[in-house]
Amino acid sequence: MLGLFESSGGDGSVREPLAARMRPRSLDEFVGQEQIVGPGRALRRAIESDKLPSMILWGPPGTGKTTLARVIAQSSGANFQALSAVSAGVADLRRVVADAAKLKRAGKRTVLFIDEIHRFNKAQQDAVLPYVEDGTVTLIGATTENPSFEVNSALLSRSRVFVLQSLGDDDIRTILERALTDPERGLGAEHVSIEPDALDHLVDLANGDARIALSTLEFAAAAAPKGTAGTAVIDLQTIADAMQQRARNYDKDGDGHYDTISAFIKTVRGSDPDAAVYWLMRMIDAGEDPLFIARRLVILASEDIGLADPQALPVAIAAQQAVHFVGMPEAKYPLAQATLYLATAPKSNSVGRAFGAAEADVQGSRNDPVPLHLRNAPTNLMRQLGYGEGYRYAHDDYAAMDAQGDLPPAQPLQSNLPEALAGRQYFRPGKQGAEARLRAWLDARRGPAPDEPDPFADEDA
């Protein structure tokens, strides 16, 4: 079985995929990632001087993480050992470390490359840590997941993190053209050509993933009809058949999921219906759970709109019920309707601010008893103890309002908080939508908090 970086034999019995054959053999052949391996960059200097730190290469699929590790292996004088976290275990790590320890005593370094290091559990990562710390191995880990969450903090603190970006269209085009013309490793000796519009379409569909671009090119070359001169001509239809849709960088348990839902929430909150429905469609297109989206809409309706539009929550709940009842693909319509409603609704975070302020007092103050006037008095003993005494029936206050109900009662609110918290104002309505009227009503009814700054003064500024 071929190892991670082994090449096939020259007898034609085994032929590596085009993406593997076209891996750059040196930094000069490496395409893209100028921000970390461009001339004068720290990582490039470290590679060229063979003074490598332990590192984590983090980036989307097809951006060159494994390729860069291979380049390091070929340019380094160190012993290079590669493991895949998909199949390797602690026993494999111990074997590599034992060999590395022997080489260390002989004065030779070992570079340990762990592909998809995020798939190692905590115990497996812990097994690597002491040997990274004492210099037995120099670690190069590759991951598509955020190392802040997927790599142990102790291991992360002993490694440099280098972030690889999705390749640009020009980078993908360069890689494809190189594969088409290279007679040794590419398709240069196979009489393959590609029409300009087909190449443009392939670059676009690859979405920054070189592996997908090369794999699709290889498949299209095999399927392309032969021209009159015996040359396989890849046209637009062949590319469309070879790759049915654009490559998606979206993992429902990974960064794509969290980044996209974050964009969705923030654009709804920011009252941008165009961006909101775009990010909604991105999630639907990637196969996101529609009920997950509906749950976020329900939360948004209270967290970011609240009483500025009291209909926002019923609309979001109706969307959740419709998604559950109808299912996909038709459920995209109620999801889009709720998204657009919430994005264009007036906004207020007064619900969360009120709850947060009350929560702070509950957790930071004494658990004072309920004031006597708010307690029920179903027995004579309770009445004798003052339960219910002084309670003012609220509807008597409401009856004192004018016919339109727009004015507050003549009397101020009675204090219904524990004595130590008297005068606290947790709910401060915003100035948008229905909350504007609530704000005026409450300001007239309860007045400003005595000797206490308005906790929401920044909103009024």
Side-chain angles (χ1 to χ4, degrees), residues 44 55 67 112 186 233 237 249 303 308 395 415-416:
R44 187 184 186 104
M55 69 185 77
T67 295
L112 170 61
V233 180
Q237 186 59 52
N249 180 24
E303 182 180 9
H395 287 284
S415 177
N416 294 317

Side-chain angles (χ1 to χ4, degrees), residues 60-279:
T63 53
K65 299 182 296 298
T66 304
T67 295
L68 186 55
R70 179 174 180 166
V71 167
I72 292 171
Q74 292 176 338
S75 61
S76 171
N79 171 46
F80 191 85
Q81 294 291 326
L83 295 176
S84 172
V86 174
S87 56
V90 173
D92 300 293
L93 288 170
R94 288 173 177 164
R95 173 183 54 78
V96 170
V97 166
D99 292 341
K102 294 177 183 177
L103 291 171
K104 183 183 178 184
R105 288 193 291 271
K108 188 175 181 65
R109 283 191 308 115
T110 295
V111 172
L112 170 61
F113 174 67
I114 302 178
D115 196 20
E116 299 192 76
I117 192 171
H118 61 275
R119 295 185 181 270
F120 268 173
N121 59 33
K122 185 179 185 300
Q124 290 169 313
Q125 292 185 29
D126 284 344
V128 180
L129 179 61
Y131 306 105
V132 172
E133 193 167 29
D134 68 9
T136 300
V137 296
T138 299
L139 173 69
I140 303 178
T143 178
T144 57
E145 302 297 330
N146 190 328
S148 299
F149 305 121
E150 303 297 337
V151 178
N152 287 358
S153 57
L155 191 57
L156 197 61
S157 70
R158 290 160 177 81
S159 307
R160 292 283 305 276
V161 176
F162 294 98
V163 181
L164 284 73
Q165 307 293 340
S166 293
L167 296 176
D169 286 353
D170 289 342
D171 296 330
I172 296 294
R173 188 181 301 276
T174 297
I175 291 168
L176 290 171
E177 290 174 343
R178 182 182 294 174
L180 283 164
T181 56
D182 189 319
E184 177 189 353
R185 296 178 294 154
L187 304 174
E190 299 181 19
H191 307 291
V192 176
S193 68
I194 186 169
E195 295 179 351
D197 58 346
L199 179 59
D200 291 342
H201 191 49
L202 177 53
V203 168
D204 182 56
L205 289 175
N207 206 28
D209 188 323
R211 186 183 299 108
I212 285 179
L214 289 168
S215 298
T216 304
L217 177 65
E218 184 176 30
F219 181 73
K226 299 289 184 180
T228 54
T231 300
V233 180
I234 302 173
D235 58 15
L236 187 61
Q237 186 59 52
T238 305
I239 292 297
D241 291 342
M243 187 160 67
Q244 298 295 316
Q245 63 178 4
R246 186 186 312 278
R248 301 287 186 252
N249 180 24
Y250 192 97
D251 180 349
K252 286 188 281 185
D253 294 319
D255 282 353
H257 162 83
Y258 294 108
D259 290 345
T260 309
I261 192 61
S262 176
F264 176 68
I265 292 168
K266 288 170 181 172
T267 50
V268 173
R269 179 184 296 142
S271 299
D272 187 341
D274 302 306
V277 79
Y278 169 80
W279 293 116

Side-chain angles (χ1 to χ4, degrees), residues 415-426 446-450 452:
S415 177
N416 294 317
L417 288 166
E419 185 176 352
L421 300 176
R424 283 287 203 275
Q425 293 184 3
Y426 300 120
R446 68 189 179 189
E452 189 174 310

Side-chain angles (χ1 to χ4, degrees), residues 5 22-31 37 43-44 47-48 50 52 57 64-77 80 111 113 140 185:
F5 295 130
M22 291 303 300
R23 288 190 189 278
R25 294 166 293 190
S26 67
L27 283 175
D28 291 334
E29 290 185 5
F30 194 84
V31 178
V37 293
L43 180 56
R44 187 184 186 104
I47 294 171
E48 291 173 340
D50 196 19
L52 294 169
L57 304 176
K65 299 182 296 298
T66 304
T67 295
L68 186 55
R70 179 174 180 166
V71 167
I72 292 171
Q74 292 176 338
S75 61
S76 171
F80 191 85
V111 172
F113 174 67
I140 303 178
R185 296 178 294 154

